[in-house]
């Protein structure tokens, strides 16, 4: 479970990976060991968090709309 205070941003993968800067960010994060796949299903979003002073990127099969609703619960 991710604490909502640690969330920096949530992104839709289809909308964001069109940008070269986003693809570069995800590539560097993966090479640095900062990416965590929470499911091996088709990814729909990624969540950038700050945990213990480190950036962690969670890849999720859930849509950003679903994740944002769960965040407020």
């Amino acid at each position: 479970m991710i604490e909502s205070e640690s969330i920096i941003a949530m992104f839709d993968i289809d909308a964001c990976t069109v940008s070269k800067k986003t693809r570069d960010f995800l590539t560097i994060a993966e090479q640095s060991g900062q990416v965590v796949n929470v499911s091996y299903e088709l990814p729909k979003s990624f969540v950038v968090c700050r945990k213990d002073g480190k950036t962690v990127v969670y890849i999720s099969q859930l849509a950003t709309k679903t994740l944002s609703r769960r965040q407020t619960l």
Side-chain angles (χ1 to χ4, degrees):
M1 180 166 314
I2 301 171
E3 295 179 15
S4 60
E5 296 83 29
S6 69
I7 296 173
I8 296 171
M10 293 186 282
F11 299 94
D12 178 273
I13 284 200
D14 290 334
C16 290
T17 54
V18 174
S19 166
K20 181 176 177 357
K21 288 184 180 188
T22 304
R23 290 192 312 269
D24 290 346
F25 169 76
L26 290 172
T27 299
I28 291 168
E30 187 158 14
Q31 290 172 347
S32 302
Q34 297 172 312
V35 174
V36 176
N37 281 306
V38 296
S39 173
Y40 290 102
E41 295 180 32
L42 183 66
K44 294 184 181 176
S45 64
F46 64 97
V47 181
V48 180
C49 298
R50 193 81 173 152
K51 185 176 180 181
D52 299 327
K54 297 181 182 179
T55 301
V56 180
V57 179
Y58 295 96
I59 307 291
S60 174
Q61 82 282 5
L62 299 174
T64 54
K65 190 173 184 177
T66 302
L67 290 172
S68 65
R69 274 192 249 135
R70 290 184 179 191
Q71 179 184 353
T72 59
L73 295 177

